[in-house]
Amino acid sequence: MQEYQLTLKDKRIVWGKAIDIESLIGKYSGDSIRPSVNAALDWNLPAGVYRAKEVVMELDKLLEAMLVQLGEPVNGDPTVLLDSLQANLAISGQLAALPLGPLALEDKAGSELKSQAVRIGEQLVSWAREMNAEKRSLATYGEETLGALEFRSHCYGHPLIPEAIRLVWGPLGGPRIMQLYNEYLHQFVLLRDALLPFANWEEVPFEVKEHTEFKGLRFLEPAREIFLTQLLGKKLTHKSIVQYAQSVVNSGLTKTGYGFQYRLGTVLPAGLGESAGTAARYLLKWHPVQTVETEETRDLAAISFDYEYDDYYAAPRYEAGKGTTVNEDTLPVSGEYCDGPSIARLLLNADSDRTTLRFSLEMEGREFTVDLGQLFRGHRFLYRPHGNGNAGDAFTKRTSISSHRAIDILSHLGLVTNPDEIHFIPTDGNELVQWALLGKLYPENVVLLDKGDKEELEVAYVSGKGFGTQFLVL
């Protein structure tokens, strides 16, 4: 069995069984252009496994059919139609289907998804332009077949740029062209919105099943409506993002945790394998790995990954103790972890009646594990040394710092806290140890440092809550 691994600089995170899904991509049950009930031809995504680029390829058939039906001189220049698509996929402007730009999405989840919408929309339009320039559909089907494509698009509300309005509703266009174009735009919007949860959205494989009542990606509309209501209402949670992702990839799961396994891989928070200080906190990432082995079927079982503690507030807490007093101006670097650990493993927790995973490290000949879900939770609640303008006052008031060995913190049961003061935990920049600490410290006032010098400390003291027990990790 070949283990799957992520590389984090000079460190590795290893788990499960690596899988290869490339043989499944692009193998469809039929053609997207097929006979309809009347003499015309219809379009629908055939059942199969897709990535984003494969969907764009199938949608290009609609664009090429429109160009053929519009005729000269339009059929040689799709610029206007593609510019209108770009306006729909933008996040600002009157034509934006998802107008996130004008919204003050200052919460972490909203800001991450806002950036995602921009990245995905721009790339989808770029692919659409590139693929149409190749004219594959015209070479495959010919003008007669593309000219016969016609169907009713049950969707309203995708406005067009003025040039596109004149083109689609002008002498060369009409209702038939408008129906094709409306579906083309709507499928792109559905595709963009479906991929919002995934940091590596280009790689995510998802299964499309043909429905008589849904065309293409329209089966996603109910889940998308709920998700966007939460996003636009600024009530988005990590759980709701995972729940939406499960619908997008057709996992079949009704239960929601912090991540999941489905037929085509494993989806976990995107921070895994990244630096904790800069990693996305709410986005997810798809991995080609079977995390939980199943012997009774060739397909990967759909499994939701649970937190060890559903409510971390009710989890048992243990005090870190007093530690060793250190200089308040510059935090010491211990050199304790310069030579390791270099490998972390994700392990199935066999002692639980639910599916929980552990993040495991070996240090000083001992194994230390933390709940993987709590690790991600700690990362979401992590603070960085960003002050609020009162750093000078705070520095004069908060000068008592106690140092603790990371190995001592990780040795405790439950979650670790302390009744007061500031507590420093050096890791020598070992990112695996830092991640493990995020799964062990009570996620209330933990600040991850970069340097530990006086200037950063002044800012760190007013990061987080700015009062009460504070843990500084360096």
Side-chain angles (χ1 to χ4, degrees):
M1 179 185 77
Q2 181 182 358
E3 287 186 305
Y4 177 72
Q5 68 177 23
L6 294 177
T7 301
L8 175 56
K9 297 180 181 176
D10 59 340
K11 309 292 189 293
R12 291 183 295 150
I13 302 174
V14 181
W15 82 96
K17 178 182 179 181
I19 60 174
D20 180 12
I21 65 154
E22 294 303 320
S23 61
L24 300 177
I25 304 296
K27 301 295 189 295
Y28 308 133
S29 61
D31 198 340
S32 55
I33 295 181
R34 74 279 302 273
S36 64
V37 293
N38 51 36
L41 292 177
D42 196 2
W43 175 93
N44 198 359
L45 288 179
V49 177
Y50 292 79
R51 289 194 180 110
K53 201 165 190 177
E54 281 70 39
V55 176
V56 176
M57 291 175 64
E58 294 299 325
L59 290 174
D60 181 63
K61 297 175 183 179
L62 295 179
L63 179 57
E64 292 205 41
M66 283 183 278
L67 294 173
V68 166
Q69 293 177 28
L70 285 167
E72 295 288 351
V74 181
N75 61 355
D77 185 7
T79 303
V80 169
L81 297 179
L82 287 168
D83 285 351
S84 199
L85 169 65
Q86 183 170 337
N88 270 258
L89 293 181
I91 64 168
S92 59
Q94 294 182 343
L95 276 65
L98 185 59
L100 297 178
L103 296 179
L105 294 176
E106 297 177 356
D107 61 296
K108 288 288 185 182
S111 61
E112 287 183 10
L113 289 167
K114 183 176 179 178
S115 299
Q116 274 283 93
V118 173
R119 286 192 294 268
I120 298 172
E122 290 176 349
Q123 185 59 64
L124 292 181
V125 174
S126 178
W127 282 343
R129 295 184 190 278
E130 293 171 7
M131 291 180 188
N132 190 258
E134 296 174 358
K135 302 300 178 187
R136 293 183 183 182
S137 297
L138 183 61
T140 301
Y141 297 100
E143 291 190 0
E144 183 176 354
T145 296
L146 295 177
L149 188 62
E150 180 181 5
F151 54 78
R152 172 77 167 94
S153 175
H154 293 279
C155 173
Y156 309 92
H158 291 301
L160 312 180
I161 61 175
E163 297 85 352
I165 293 174
R166 289 192 292 269
L167 181 62
V168 172
W169 288 108
L172 301 176
R176 180 176 175 179
I177 298 293
M178 186 63 238
Q179 295 298 314
L180 296 178
Y181 194 37
N182 190 70
E183 193 64 36
Y184 179 76
L185 295 175
H186 190 58
Q187 293 290 331
F188 264 103
V189 169
L190 289 174
L191 178 61
R192 188 270 313 275
D193 294 350
L195 299 169
L196 289 176
F198 303 100
N200 60 338
W201 61 271
E202 306 102 317
E203 303 173 31
V204 177
F206 54 92
E207 189 170 9
V208 172
K209 299 178 181 178
E210 287 196 46
H211 306 270
T212 56
E213 68 273 30
F214 296 122
K215 187 181 289 291
L217 299 178
R218 287 177 177 268
F219 69 92
L220 294 172
E221 287 177 336
R224 171 182 177 267
E225 182 176 354
I226 295 172
F227 178 72
L228 294 186
T229 299
Q230 294 168 328
L231 173 59
L232 297 174
K234 302 181 182 180
K235 295 182 179 179
L236 200 63
T237 64
H238 181 259
K239 183 176 181 179
S240 60
I241 294 174
V242 176
Q243 194 169 38
Y244 181 50
Q246 290 177 176
S247 298
V248 167
V249 300
N250 245 319
S251 69
L253 290 167
T254 56
K255 184 179 180 181
T256 306
Y258 62 84
F260 60 95
Q261 175 177 289
Y262 72 115
R263 189 171 81 88
L264 301 172
T266 294
V267 174
L268 292 170
L272 191 67
E274 304 290 337
S275 297
T278 57
R281 305 192 186 197
Y282 283 84
L283 296 181
L284 307 173
K285 188 174 182 179
W286 168 80
H287 301 276
V289 58
Q290 181 179 15
T291 298
V292 181
E293 290 191 57
T294 51
E295 298 179 357
E296 65 277 6
T297 176
R298 292 175 56 190
D299 291 335
L300 278 65
I303 299 171
S304 177
F305 300 132
D306 294 322
Y307 294 94
E308 181 179 12
Y309 307 115
D310 288 331
D311 181 4
Y312 70 91
Y313 188 80
R317 304 182 208 178
Y318 298 86
E319 293 186 8
K322 292 185 178 180
T324 303
T325 301
V326 298
N327 188 299
E328 66 269 19
D329 292 339
T330 305
L331 298 178
V333 177
S334 68
E336 183 178 357
Y337 305 108
C338 292
D339 297 327
S342 60
I343 300 177
R345 294 187 177 276
L346 304 190
L347 307 173
L348 183 65
N349 186 6
D351 296 332
S352 175
D353 57 353
R354 301 173 299 141
T355 305
T356 61
L357 299 174
R358 310 288 291 174
F359 183 85
S360 172
L361 295 175
E362 287 190 10
M363 292 187 287
E364 298 185 6
R366 298 168 57 191
E367 181 184 30
F368 298 89
T369 67
V370 298
D371 178 59
L372 185 64
Q374 186 63 36
L375 176 151
F376 291 128
R377 184 184 270 152
H379 181 241
R380 290 199 301 276
F381 296 159
L382 174 70
Y383 291 103
R384 297 286 281 146
H386 299 147
N388 58 12
N390 299 319
D393 294 337
F395 187 72
T396 61
K397 296 175 183 177
R398 308 186 69 188
T399 57
S400 177
I401 306 178
S402 298
S403 179
H404 302 261
R405 297 174 71 223
I407 198 169
D408 294 332
I409 299 294
L410 294 173
S411 296
H412 285 284
L413 299 174
L415 301 181
V416 175
T417 185
N418 245 30
D420 53 27
E421 303 300 340
I422 303 172
H423 301 272
F424 168 58
I425 310 173
T427 69
D428 302 317
N430 189 306
E431 304 206 48
L432 298 181
V433 178
Q434 291 176 357
W435 276 109
L437 288 170
L438 293 180
K440 178 57 67 172
L441 296 171
Y442 185 76
E444 186 174 50
N445 211 11
V446 179
V447 182
L448 181 62
L449 304 176
D450 291 317
K451 297 175 291 184
D453 57 16
K454 182 174 181 178
E455 290 72 21
E456 187 178 46
L457 280 177
E458 290 181 356
V459 179
Y461 292 149
V462 292
S463 300
K465 296 191 303 181
F467 61 88
T469 303
Q470 187 179 55
F471 282 92
L472 306 177
V473 178
L474 176 60

